[in-house]
Amino acid sequence: MTAELPSLVLRGTTLRFAGNPFDMPPEEALIADPDGAIIIENGRISAVGSFSTLASTLPATLPIIDHRPCLIGPGFIDAHVHYPQFGVIASYGEQLLSWLERYVFPEERRFADRAYADSIAGAFLDSLLDHGTTTAAVYCTVHPESVDAFFSASRQRNTRMIAGKVLMDRNAPDFLRDTAQQGYDESRDLIDRWHGQGRQLYAVTPRFAPTSTEEQLTLAGALLDTAPDLFMQTHLLETKQEARWSKPFFPIVQAIWMSTIRPAS
Ligand SMILES: [Zn+2]
């Protein structure tokens, strides 16, 4: 692999961050150079600066790819996305729960088929790259095949992806339900197979409150302790309808809520 890593110079308007704009003046954090250069040696950035400054240091053999006047910046990071929903983008926007039942769950069922999962994973990642996104936190489906397909496609493209098998052991169609133990065991196998392999990272992924029992959530917590640097992703409540639906499943949370939140008098 390393023999194939490129060495080249990118020239164009470069945009980069010198630090966290929340920790320092934003105008000092953001650095834009109308004629910048990025030197890449063996697949890694070795220098960034203005082209006129760096030009004299460049080996004559290094190819220069001139992107002027286009902008060159770091890859975007998508903090939340579901790759199995790629095929139902733009389905009629109902309320969340009916939209899941009518469009998303039937589509997710198809990801038990590895070949179908492979085809969508590849198309999804190509689309991300087309839009400048090189890293994402991604939900797969309840099927381990959907995770293997996704990480395989990501490894082929050398993208950095954080993803995991969805955990759902109640309040979902039969064809999308696991059990608490099955969810644990399948996630554990996937962690062994993918976490830390190249740029691939695993996220323990209970879908949202109403679709996991307390037993499953407890085992999800235990999963997090089984390997260093694992991620966890889930959804907070997104609609009032979902909040009303979820309350009875977590009577302890409801009791705490009722005892601590007082209406304004
Ligand atoms: Zn989501």
Side-chain angles (χ1 to χ4, degrees):
M1 285 292 286
T2 49
E4 299 169 13
L5 293 174
S7 295
L8 59 126
V9 179
L10 302 177
R11 184 176 184 182
T13 300
T14 52
L15 183 69
R16 61 196 170 97
F17 291 92
N20 185 338
F22 294 101
D23 295 339
M24 60 194 296
E27 63 275 16
E28 292 177 22
L30 185 66
I31 300 174
D33 192 327
D35 187 10
I38 299 172
I39 302 175
I40 298 169
E41 294 179 280
N42 296 319
R44 289 183 176 272
I45 294 173
S46 59
V48 180
S50 69
F51 184 81
S52 59
T53 304
L54 293 175
S56 61
T57 68
L58 297 176
T61 53
L62 223 50
I64 299 173
I65 302 178
D66 194 342
H67 289 292
R68 288 176 299 167
C70 293
L71 191 65
I72 305 171
F76 296 126
I77 299 172
D78 189 327
H80 181 94
V81 63
H82 298 244
Y83 99 83
Q85 294 175 12
F86 191 65
V88 291
I89 286 174
S91 299
Y92 176 69
E94 305 177 21
Q95 282 290 307
L96 172 68
L97 300 178
S98 59
W99 180 74
L100 287 173
E101 285 174 18
R102 185 170 300 189
Y103 301 110
V104 174
F105 287 160
E107 176 66 11
E108 290 195 5
R109 182 180 198 170
R110 306 176 74 183
F111 287 75
D113 175 5
R114 174 65 192 266
Y116 184 73
D118 282 336
S119 70
I120 298 293
F124 169 84
L125 285 166
D126 288 343
S127 181
L128 280 194
L129 288 170
D130 282 347
H131 293 82
T133 301
T134 54
T135 294
V138 181
Y139 282 57
C140 303
T141 70
V142 74
H143 315 100
E145 295 87 346
S146 73
V147 185
D148 286 327
F150 183 72
F151 278 134
S152 295
S154 178
R155 183 172 57 188
Q156 281 173 10
R157 291 160 179 79
N158 207 16
T159 44
R160 180 178 293 285
M161 292 291 144
I162 305 163
K165 167 197 139 63
V166 162
L167 300 169
M168 286 201 287
D169 68 341
R170 67 173 168 182
N171 295 322
D174 292 349
F175 53 80
L176 288 182
R177 271 209 303 267
D178 55 12
T179 67
Q181 191 61 48
Q182 180 190 357
Y184 180 93
D185 293 341
E186 291 176 347
S187 300
R188 192 81 271 300
D189 285 347
L190 289 163
I191 290 165
D192 283 344
R193 204 143 58 240
W194 291 109
H195 184 58
Q197 298 298 316
R199 289 174 164 162
Q200 314 315 316
L201 296 165
Y202 196 87
V204 178
T205 308
R207 186 178 205 122
F208 60 175
T211 50
S212 284
T213 60
E214 289 195 36
E215 183 188 5
Q216 182 161 69
L217 293 178
T218 300
L219 287 178
L223 270 173
L224 274 179
D225 294 330
T226 62
D229 306 323
L230 284 170
F231 287 78
M232 198 283 283
Q233 59 185 350
T234 190
H235 298 87
L236 295 179
L237 290 172
E238 293 172 283
T239 67
K240 289 179 180 174
Q241 184 192 18
E242 185 194 342
R244 279 194 297 275
W245 182 44
S246 303
K247 267 186 174 181
F249 299 122
F250 292 95
I252 293 174
V253 175
Q254 187 177 8
I256 294 170
W257 172 268
M258 295 302 286
S259 66
T260 55
I261 307 295
R262 300 264 188 273
S265 55

